[in-house]
Amino acid sequence: MSIMQTLVQTAARFKPDADPDPLIASKKYVGRALDRVDGRLKVTGGARFTAEYAPDDMVYAAPVFSTIAKGKVRRLDTAAAESSPGVIAVITPKNMPRLVTPSLTDFAKLDKIAASNLPVLQDDSVHWNGQVIAVVIAETHEQAQEAAARVRADYDADEGMVSFERNKDKAIMPKDVLGEPPEIKIGDAEKNLKSAPVQVDATYRSPYYNHSAIEPHATIAYWEGDDRLYVFDSTQWVEGYRNSLAHVFALNRENIRVMAPFVGGGFGGKAGFWWNTILCAAAAKMVGRPVKLALSREGVFRIVGGRTVAEQRVALGATREGKLTALIHTGLTVTPDHARYAEQCTFPTRHLYATEALHVAQYVVNLDMVANTWMRAPGESIGTFAVESALDELAVELRMDPIELRRKVEPARDPTKDTEFSSRNLIEAYERGAAEFNWSSRNLQPRSRRDGAWLVGHGVATAYYPALRFPGGARVRLEADGTAIVQAAANEMGMGVATGQLQHAADRLGLPLHCVEFDYGDSHLPTSPMAGGSCQTLSILAATRATVEKLHRELLKLEQKDSASPLKGAKYEDLVARDNGLFLASEPSRGVSYVEILRKAGKPYLEVEGVSSAPMEMMKYSMASYGAQFCEVRVNETTGEVRVARWLGSFDCGTVLNPKTAMSQLRGGIVMGIGMALTEEMLVDGRSGRIMNRSLAGYHVPVNLDVPRIDVLFNDIPDPQTALGAHGIGEIGITGVAAAIANAVYNATGKRVRDLPITLDKLL
Amino acid sequence: MTHSQNAELERQAAESSVAGPDNRLRITLMVNGDRREVEIEPRVSLLDALRERLHLTGTKKGCDQGACGACTVLVNGERILSCLALAIQYTGQEITTVEGLALDGSLSPLQQAFITHDGFQCGYCTSGQLCSAVGMMREFDDGVPSAVTADVASGTIDFSDTEIKERMSGNLCRCGAYVGICDAIREAHSEVHSEVHHAGESR
Ligand code: FES
Ligand code: FES
């Protein structure tokens, strides 16, 4: 840690707490299960996604992918493609505009966000199987596809390193893991483990996964002159894309506008700045017309990375009473040198349980692969699979109920950060869940319940994801008629951003819901962090809160120019916003409407822009959401098939903005966790580095019949350190799911599967 | 096969190719009750004809290879995957897309139920889910059994969640809105049926 970071952290710890957000007590729309504001657009086909914009004169791009993992393109034969009907240009390293090499995400600054720092089509080198080696531009989609198939490449292939199994011995410890140390040691965990009366020591494996959002990545780009670029993109972060484009094309950020009003799912796969966006903008520049580059499904698998394969060791030493004396969690993951992303699989273990000694460490092996990237609850989803499976194994060794074990290891303070928790009610989530799920009727003895050919089992696991906030901005414009518009760059990929933010803004302003609008999905709007890491909601809430405060202070100033004002002499702190205006908290009848304030001041509108403070609370406290995942599985004794029969997720994730959309988000995470546990696996050919099952027919995401009824409970306990007491909830749903299923499979069959996905062959 | 052999085959294929601007056909498609003329090559899929030529972008492309269901539309009331269909095969047939599900601006009970039960998040699979559900309910009402129908001979099938889920399993939703989708379809189906029942009674 630098001296500066240490200083800031020390300062943060002594900074007195702000009072909890007063709106927690007086919310009106917040907490209601309202329908999505964009629901009508989505069920009528009226919501327009990126590939659906149609600028005049638009042409189509189709990439050509390499078929080797490492080496050089010796000869690229584009003649047949060039003479193919409708072709306008074939872009190769020879004629590709010279671009600045993209920069990887810098977590200190978080402005640029490339997933890979390779030069984009600037030379003949090949770094992964599937890399783009040429792009064809043609008048129609069909013509572009046809011509792309006619480009021929001869290669000088190098051996390349593509097999995880064969290259594990080349693992190295990365410099850092998302800015955190790669290794932490408290006490001597290995020594404690050896002397512990009860021990568990196991290795857990998970495969490569793919986000597989149903909308494939798409971009439409066009230029105005040489230096103005407009981009529609299916991105999770309009602003990060704008900044990255500015860097790569050496333009001023102000000259670029990135728009993404609706995004068809992202799950982390549309956050990193990928080649398709850069290639599309470059193509538009070359041909001087708007270009659409909509990746095929295969294209998504080839040039957009997913979640790394992982091998994790978790070792637990415990007393007979279930106190941990040693907690060891080490993880090995894959990242190519051009991505340098060590997926943070040990992060949950750093904050979850009390232990006498702890050792966490991460290693990576650099393979010649497409850049790996964030995928829903990166780190925590695979990390909780390992640690929550191990805890279940310990409960089995101890002959103890796994929920009872969670009680024994519940810490009073964050074990590695050594701070208090801002709000942690994990045990309450377990207890509420256990009551609702009827956990007490579960058999402790494995393989003791059956229903015909089916063995029935139950499992639990902890869900965990940090509550992150980043500074951000918002603009609020109050109109003379008393309506308001709130604006933030923000992205909507299905989380219900607009709905939740509107509920908040209406309460914050004291306006009826129909009098407020929320404007988002455009890099020209005030700065927002990426829609990822479950940080967007919380960050925009804080920014809107700060901006509305600024608006209210200005309104009060305007109002107090009137000597007869009912708010004469009042201070900002004395006010509440309600009933379309500002009122004295102490004297509810004294107040004035927004319309009146603006009318008296002779203003047609009042517009303010504000920013939220630096997230000091994240340094002072350990801040996270928690949950308890309960499930019932049925395993066919003859075929080994696993079906999930029942699910309950009980979550401790702060104030819930909208239970309807929140429930959908958590269920969605759980569904993806079911896929992670049972059906999903990206298969990489260990010789060629080629992803073999690069289609939705080969990569099996859960279908409707794979998913049971999913019930969700909320503690709904506000976090005193956040706006509204809320947390983001995009990731937490998937965490703990794979472990809960593996634990239930053990309970059903007596067989411990430590190797995802739990396919039937592993149970026979 | 070597790369150069490949190239030779491609060259031959290119020579015999009939694709080209001159090869376009003018066809008429009946979409949502409107006659729409398009000039397209024979190889253009119905999905691309709708999205790229007619700018009816409500119908979505998720895979372009028949694996996700996002492109589902109704042809004469039956659900098909428009990415696996050539537009020229569908001249003169009644095509219904998501844009045609609402009547005079008012949502169908199914669309409304999707909103009420939050049967989506991002909304990208939703058009396909809706069209598929319409086609599925009709198949069901026509007595078509599914893989989970226990007693095919009995003639009556219970509109159970398992039946709904099985029959909707060709429509992937990566946002995982399956619970809401199932709730919405069950409600819409029972609503429509109680109406039918009602109409029968009053006669
Ligand atoms: S786009 Fe037709 S099935 Fe996926
Ligand atoms: S709502 Fe996003 S894929 Fe179904």
Side-chain angles (χ1 to χ4, degrees), chain A residues 167-247:
Chain A
N167 292 295
K168 277 188 219 165
D169 55 330
K170 302 187 185 73
I172 49 168
M173 184 173 277
K175 273 215 303 289
D176 68 305
V177 179
L178 292 191
E180 299 286 330
E183 182 170 35
I184 298 177
K185 282 183 164 176
I186 300 171
D188 189 339
E190 292 291 349
K191 193 172 124 224
N192 282 15
L193 177 68
K194 279 201 195 85
S195 60
V198 189
Q199 299 168 21
V200 166
D201 194 340
T203 302
Y204 302 89
R205 294 185 177 82
S206 50
Y208 291 105
Y209 291 107
N210 188 280
H211 311 82
S212 296
I214 301 298
E215 177 201 31
H217 296 56
T219 312
I220 291 174
Y222 51 96
W223 292 74
E224 235 176 61
D226 268 349
D227 65 347
R228 282 199 178 267
L229 172 60
Y230 295 83
V231 175
F232 288 96
D233 196 283
S234 57
T235 169
Q236 291 178 226
W237 195 19
V238 283
E239 200 179 315
Y241 269 46
R242 181 205 55 195
N243 298 347
S244 300
L245 281 165
H247 175 236

Side-chain angles (χ1 to χ4, degrees), chain A residues 35-36 38-40 42-49 51-54 58 60 67 77 80 85-86 139-143 146 149-150 152-155 210-216 262-265 267 292 296-298 375-376 492-496 660-662 664-669 671-672 675 680 694-697 699-710, chain B residues 3-4 6-7 10-11 13-15 17 19-21 24 41 43-45 48-49 51-53 55 57-65 67-68 70 98-102 105-107 110-112 114-127 129-130 148 161-166 168-183 185-186:
Chain A
D35 291 345
R36 276 167 207 267
D38 42 19
R40 193 183 168 93
K42 289 181 178 179
V43 299
T44 52
R48 226 200 257 188
F49 293 81
E52 295 160 7
Y53 288 82
M58 185 175 75
Y60 295 77
T67 55
D77 181 357
E139 295 289 342
T140 71
H141 163 68
E142 292 77 14
Q143 289 168 333
E146 179 187 351
R150 292 184 174 178
R152 287 292 149 217
D154 291 323
Y155 302 94
N210 188 280
H211 311 82
S212 296
I214 301 298
E215 177 201 31
F262 288 102
V263 178
F267 317 113
K292 165 146 79 175
S296 64
R297 180 54 58 183
E298 171 171 354
M375 178 168 160
R376 207 167 199 167
E492 161 66 6
M493 314 177 287
M495 312 81 92
K660 186 178 286 197
T661 54
S664 290
Q665 239 188 322
L666 291 164
R667 281 173 170 162
V671 172
M672 202 175 277
E680 292 178 37
R694 45 190 193 280
S695 76
L696 291 173
Y699 183 85
H700 297 155
V701 309
V703 302
N704 205 321
L705 192 60
D706 295 328
V707 174
R709 172 113 238 124
I710 297 174
Chain B
H3 288 307
S4 55
N6 249 333
E10 281 298 324
R11 199 188 52 75
E15 272 173 11
S17 166
R24 291 205 189 138
E41 293 177 80
R43 63 178 162 180
V44 174
S45 70
D48 287 327
R51 280 171 68 83
E52 304 294 336
R53 273 69 174 193
H55 302 293
T57 54
T59 307
K60 304 302 181 197
K61 183 185 282 191
C63 67
D64 217 12
Q65 47 192 192
C68 75
V98 68
E99 289 95 342
L101 295 183
S106 67
L107 298 180
L110 183 70
Q111 288 170 307
Q112 184 53 53
F114 262 67
I115 296 176
T116 310
H117 294 281
D118 216 28
F120 50 86
Q121 287 195 61
C122 76
Y124 198 78
C125 73
T126 312
S127 312
Q129 302 278 359
L130 288 163
V148 297
D161 278 11
T162 314
E163 284 284 356
I164 298 175
K165 285 174 162 298
E166 162 65 22
M168 290 301 292
S169 280
N171 290 82
L172 303 180
C173 175
R174 188 54 159 165
C175 297
Y178 296 130
V179 175
I181 290 169
C182 201
D183 288 348
I185 294 175
R186 192 191 320 102

Side-chain angles (χ1 to χ4, degrees), chain B residues 47 60-72 81-84:
Chain B
L47 175 59
K60 304 302 181 197
K61 183 185 282 191
C63 67
D64 217 12
Q65 47 192 192
C68 75
C71 62
T72 308
L81 298 174
S82 62
C83 72
L84 296 186

Side-chain angles (χ1 to χ4, degrees), chain A residues 88-325:
Chain A
I88 299 160
V90 179
I91 309 180
T92 71
K94 283 210 187 91
N95 56 0
M96 174 79 173
R98 292 305 113 192
L99 302 180
V100 178
T101 301
S103 300
L104 293 176
T105 310
D106 170 357
F107 278 89
K109 286 219 233 65
L110 255 193
D111 61 343
K112 295 184 282 289
I113 192 167
S116 156
N117 63 6
L118 289 172
V120 181
L121 207 60
Q122 302 288 302
D123 57 44
D124 57 6
S125 59
V126 175
H127 301 267
W128 79 87
N129 193 322
Q131 179 193 311
V132 176
I133 53 170
V135 181
V136 175
I137 318 295
E139 295 289 342
T140 71
H141 163 68
E142 292 77 14
Q143 289 168 333
Q145 293 290 324
E146 179 187 351
R150 292 184 174 178
V151 174
R152 287 292 149 217
D154 291 323
Y155 302 94
D156 289 324
D158 295 345
E159 178 115 25
M161 272 170 52
V162 293
S163 161
F164 178 57
E165 285 307 318
R166 285 203 297 276
N167 292 295
K168 277 188 219 165
D169 55 330
K170 302 187 185 73
I172 49 168
M173 184 173 277
K175 273 215 303 289
D176 68 305
V177 179
L178 292 191
E180 299 286 330
E183 182 170 35
I184 298 177
K185 282 183 164 176
I186 300 171
D188 189 339
E190 292 291 349
K191 193 172 124 224
N192 282 15
L193 177 68
K194 279 201 195 85
S195 60
V198 189
Q199 299 168 21
V200 166
D201 194 340
T203 302
Y204 302 89
R205 294 185 177 82
S206 50
Y208 291 105
Y209 291 107
N210 188 280
H211 311 82
S212 296
I214 301 298
E215 177 201 31
H217 296 56
T219 312
I220 291 174
Y222 51 96
W223 292 74
E224 235 176 61
D226 268 349
D227 65 347
R228 282 199 178 267
L229 172 60
Y230 295 83
V231 175
F232 288 96
D233 196 283
S234 57
T235 169
Q236 291 178 226
W237 195 19
V238 283
E239 200 179 315
Y241 269 46
R242 181 205 55 195
N243 298 347
S244 300
L245 281 165
H247 175 236
V248 168
F249 286 90
L251 292 175
N252 288 330
R253 290 181 177 179
E254 297 67 42
N255 286 15
I256 303 179
R257 184 164 179 188
V258 179
M259 290 157 284
F262 288 102
V263 178
F267 317 113
K270 292 170 178 168
F273 180 60
W274 299 96
W275 279 31
N276 54 301
T277 305
I278 303 168
L279 292 168
C280 185
K285 185 162 191 160
M286 267 186 75
V287 300
R289 291 167 69 176
V291 172
K292 165 146 79 175
L293 198 169
L295 285 181
S296 64
R297 180 54 58 183
E298 171 171 354
V300 176
F301 275 93
R302 282 183 171 284
I303 72 165
V304 179
R307 193 196 301 283
T308 165
V309 66
E311 195 172 284
Q312 304 175 68
R313 173 193 175 213
V314 179
L316 305 172
T319 65
R320 297 240 167 260
E321 294 69 45
K323 294 263 178 223
L324 287 180
T325 55

Side-chain angles (χ1 to χ4, degrees), chain A residues 208-493:
Chain A
Y208 291 105
Y209 291 107
N210 188 280
H211 311 82
S212 296
I214 301 298
E215 177 201 31
H217 296 56
T219 312
I220 291 174
Y222 51 96
W223 292 74
E224 235 176 61
D226 268 349
D227 65 347
R228 282 199 178 267
L229 172 60
Y230 295 83
V231 175
F232 288 96
D233 196 283
S234 57
T235 169
Q236 291 178 226
W237 195 19
V238 283
E239 200 179 315
Y241 269 46
R242 181 205 55 195
N243 298 347
S244 300
L245 281 165
H247 175 236
V248 168
F249 286 90
L251 292 175
N252 288 330
R253 290 181 177 179
E254 297 67 42
N255 286 15
I256 303 179
R257 184 164 179 188
V258 179
M259 290 157 284
F262 288 102
V263 178
F267 317 113
K270 292 170 178 168
F273 180 60
W274 299 96
W275 279 31
N276 54 301
T277 305
I278 303 168
L279 292 168
C280 185
K285 185 162 191 160
M286 267 186 75
V287 300
R289 291 167 69 176
V291 172
K292 165 146 79 175
L293 198 169
L295 285 181
S296 64
R297 180 54 58 183
E298 171 171 354
V300 176
F301 275 93
R302 282 183 171 284
I303 72 165
V304 179
R307 193 196 301 283
T308 165
V309 66
E311 195 172 284
Q312 304 175 68
R313 173 193 175 213
V314 179
L316 305 172
T319 65
R320 297 240 167 260
E321 294 69 45
K323 294 263 178 223
L324 287 180
T325 55
L327 172 48
I328 299 166
H329 185 173
T330 58
L332 173 60
T333 60
V334 165
T335 191
D337 193 46
H338 58 91
R340 289 183 213 159
Y341 168 46
E343 183 162 338
Q344 62 273 32
C345 57
T346 62
F347 276 20
T349 306
R350 297 172 186 217
H351 310 288
L352 269 177
Y353 299 123
T355 176
E356 217 175 276
L358 175 125
H359 180 206
V360 290
Q362 288 203 216
Y363 302 89
V364 290
V365 42
N366 295 138
L367 297 184
D368 299 310
M369 297 272 296
V370 61
N372 63 309
T373 194
W374 311 298
M375 178 168 160
R376 207 167 199 167
E380 277 76 8
S381 48
I382 50 175
T384 52
F385 166 61
V387 73
E388 293 302 303
S389 291
L391 227 64
D392 200 69
E393 298 203 40
L394 179 62
V396 170
E397 291 295 321
L398 291 166
R399 306 192 140 276
M400 186 183 276
D401 182 278
I403 299 181
E404 184 55 26
L405 178 59
R406 297 313 191 285
R407 278 194 199 94
K408 304 266 182 181
V409 296
E410 178 67 8
R413 290 168 72 75
D414 186 294
T416 54
K417 208 172 165 186
D418 194 25
T419 60
E420 282 176 46
F421 297 106
S422 62
S423 173
R424 171 165 166 144
N425 310 285
L426 172 61
I427 299 302
E428 176 163 349
Y430 263 110
E431 284 169 355
R432 289 165 49 105
E436 181 77 17
F437 191 77
N438 197 13
W439 178 255
S440 57
S441 72
R442 168 204 192 238
N443 290 357
L444 198 59
Q445 181 63 32
R447 211 184 179 88
S448 59
R449 186 174 295 196
R450 69 170 63 232
D451 176 9
W454 299 89
L455 299 167
V456 182
H458 299 93
V460 281
T462 299
Y464 166 87
Y465 197 79
L468 305 174
R469 174 174 83 79
F470 291 96
R475 187 184 297 135
V476 179
R477 181 183 164 113
L478 185 64
E479 303 286 350
D481 64 1
T483 60
I485 302 175
V486 179
Q487 295 181 316
N491 291 266
E492 161 66 6
M493 314 177 287

